[in-house]
Amino acid sequence: QVQVVESGGGLVQAGGSLRLSCVASLSTFSRNDMGWYHQAPGKQRELVAAISAGGRTSLADSVKGRFTVFRDNAKNTVYLQMSSLKPEDTAVYYCNAAGTYFGGHYVPGNYWGQGTQVTVSS
């Protein structure tokens, strides 16, 4: 059973920063593409960032220049560094493991974390 666990969410003021972590118990982690999604109340879940096994990254237009995604294969962890946070970033953030990254696009795999809440106050 593959476990995907996010952490690092919390309440921050607009303009602040937060770093989310996702640990995935995949023996093949270093060869897996990974993605971050978020979902606000009443909204559809959408892709925020993705990173390929080789370290290529893509970011949603709404977060470019503010967020970065990176990974530490020795720790089976992918991170989402969020800076200059805005109230509209408020959502539950989900990590997805073993998807498919291609040409800047990401198709989710079958493994999802439980989500971590990020709330940005005005």
Side-chain angles (χ1 to χ4, degrees):
Q1 174 81 322
V2 174
Q3 300 294 319
V4 180
V5 182
E6 306 97 332
S7 62
L11 173 64
V12 297
Q13 294 187 71
S17 298
L18 213 53
R19 179 178 291 183
L20 306 184
S21 299
C22 170
V23 179
S25 64
L26 292 159
S27 61
T28 57
F29 183 85
S30 65
R31 295 189 280 108
N32 288 123
D33 300 341
M34 304 285 291
W36 282 101
Y37 290 74
H38 70 186
Q39 186 168 28
K43 307 295 182 183
Q44 201 155 0
R45 188 173 299 188
E46 61 183 12
L47 182 67
V48 176
I51 184 166
S52 74
R56 297 177 188 177
T57 62
S58 67
L59 296 167
D61 288 342
S62 62
V63 305
K64 284 181 179 175
R66 300 188 298 120
F67 292 12
T68 59
V69 59
F70 59 100
R71 63 195 297 160
D72 184 343
N73 290 337
K75 296 180 178 178
N76 272 38
T77 303
V78 61
Y79 303 91
L80 184 66
Q81 177 64 53
M82 306 184 293
S83 299
S84 301
L85 283 160
K86 303 175 179 179
E88 48 263 49
D89 295 319
T90 295
V92 176
Y93 284 72
Y94 298 91
C95 180
N96 178 265
T100 302
Y101 182 104
F102 64 98
H105 299 279
Y106 182 81
V107 178
N110 294 142
Y111 310 113
W112 293 91
Q114 80 290 348
T116 185
Q117 177 72 48
V118 171
T119 302
V120 184
S121 62
S122 300

